[in-house]
Amino acid sequence: MTSIMGIVNVTPDSFSDGGRYLDHAAAVAHGLRLRADGADILDVGGESTRPGSERVSAEVEQERVVPVVHALTEAGAVVSIDTMNASTAAAAIAAGARIVNDVSGGLADPGMLTVIAASRADVVLGHWRGHSDRMYAEAEYRDVARDVVVELRERLAAAAVAGIAPSRVILDPGIGFAKRGEQNWEMLRGLSQLVGVGPRVLVGTSRKRFLTDALDGEVTEERRDLATSVTSALAALAGAWGVRVHDVRATRDALRVADAWRGGTS
Ligand code: PMM
């Protein structure tokens, strides 16, 4: 079945969590709850990448995430570290993280791919064209899915040059990153092109703006999560290996239904 990556934000400014899980113990408890709900991977992040969000120093980021990565690993979870900083990736790997989730695809920090190559961690390479303060200025495409495939192939090649085999790579179309509303739908429509590149593909639509814009009336968190479950199931049918979500339980149900549709064994 499609893998579920559950989101554990350890940030005070996250749009979704609003700082509720800033406290380490609360973050760990939240992660364990997501694991009980069916998350295969817990994605721990200490820097919000939401449009317009402030960057934090690598030191602050590490103070937030390293104890959480350590505790969740000790509890037996597979942990990924959501970071664009090589030093945070290294610290999280030392604390037990098995996957580095770099939304910038190794572009934000020139040391990132080297750190990962020297470890046994897998890596998520996201499609990215710049930090959140300027990413919409970069949102020009001829054909979104085709352009994203070209750019992620380059990141895959850069990873290989650094010594990271494609089998360790997971590609992510970077939904919401340097993509305006409709461009995200264009990307999702062309998702099978990215799946065709070869490595595993991860898709993150959870609670994102383009998605809630498709709904009418007052959009509650519950409705955003329902909409997320639909896109996650559709991503699974398009061949995604995994989805990154806040609401693991609803996603699990949706993926089981998609799996039954496909005729898989769940
Ligand atoms: N989106 C966000 C953060 N990290 N990681 C991956 N691999 N893919 C994504 O789409 C992605 C990500 C932003 O969302 P959040 O602030 O709700 O975590």
Side-chain angles (χ1 to χ4, degrees):
M1 199 172 101
T2 310
S3 296
I4 303 176
M5 181 184 269
I7 301 170
V8 182
N9 281 327
V10 201
T11 58
D13 58 347
S14 162
F15 179 78
S16 305
D17 294 327
R20 266 183 283 162
Y21 303 110
L22 181 59
D23 176 58
H24 292 153
V28 172
H30 182 62
L32 295 178
R33 200 150 49 236
L34 295 184
R35 186 157 170 253
D37 285 346
D40 301 289
I41 302 159
L42 298 176
D43 189 41
V44 177
E47 179 185 12
S48 176
T49 49
R50 290 264 154 190
S53 55
E54 301 271 320
R55 294 219 61 198
V56 299
S57 70
E59 290 71 31
V60 168
E61 187 189 28
Q62 286 160 35
E63 281 166 19
R64 290 177 182 175
V65 297
V66 171
V68 177
V69 169
H70 183 75
L72 290 174
T73 301
E74 286 285 294
V78 174
V79 174
S80 63
I81 177 69
D82 188 348
T83 186
M84 289 186 267
N85 293 312
S87 62
T88 301
I93 289 168
R98 303 238 299 260
I99 303 170
V100 176
N101 174 21
D102 182 355
V103 296
S104 83
L107 284 171
D109 186 333
M112 180 62 98
L113 295 179
T114 317
V115 161
I116 295 164
S119 78
R120 292 169 64 183
D122 285 355
V123 60
V124 178
L125 300 174
H127 177 257
W128 187 86
R129 287 180 171 182
H131 289 290
S132 61
D133 55 346
R134 61 181 187 88
M135 67 179 172
Y136 291 117
E138 306 289 338
E140 299 301 331
Y141 299 86
R142 280 201 305 177
D143 177 313
V144 181
R146 201 179 311 163
D147 295 355
V148 166
V149 164
V150 167
E151 289 167 43
L152 281 180
R153 276 189 193 278
E154 288 170 10
R155 302 318 304 148
L156 185 62
V161 168
I164 305 168
S167 59
R168 291 171 63 192
V169 174
I170 299 157
L171 299 176
D172 187 315
I175 297 301
F177 291 89
K179 292 167 202 74
R180 298 189 203 98
E182 175 59 24
Q183 293 169 331
N184 295 293
W185 293 113
E186 281 177 44
M187 179 62 238
L188 291 172
R189 247 171 250 138
L191 192 63
S192 56
Q193 292 177 50
L194 184 58
V195 171
V197 173
R200 293 166 285 176
V201 169
L202 177 72
V203 178
T205 60
S206 195
R207 298 182 183 170
K208 286 185 179 171
R209 174 72 176 274
F210 83 102
L211 183 59
T212 54
D213 282 350
L215 306 177
D216 62 355
E218 192 201 336
V219 180
T220 59
E221 193 159 282
E222 197 182 3
R223 294 183 67 207
R224 292 197 291 168
D225 285 333
L226 182 62
T228 301
S229 298
V230 175
T231 47
S232 293
L234 291 169
L237 289 179
W241 160 84
V243 292
R244 179 182 180 277
V245 296
H246 297 88
D247 185 344
V248 169
R249 197 180 291 181
T251 301
R252 192 166 171 73
D253 285 343
L255 291 177
R256 289 185 90 89
V257 171
D259 209 40
W261 178 291
R262 218 173 14 195
T265 47
S266 50

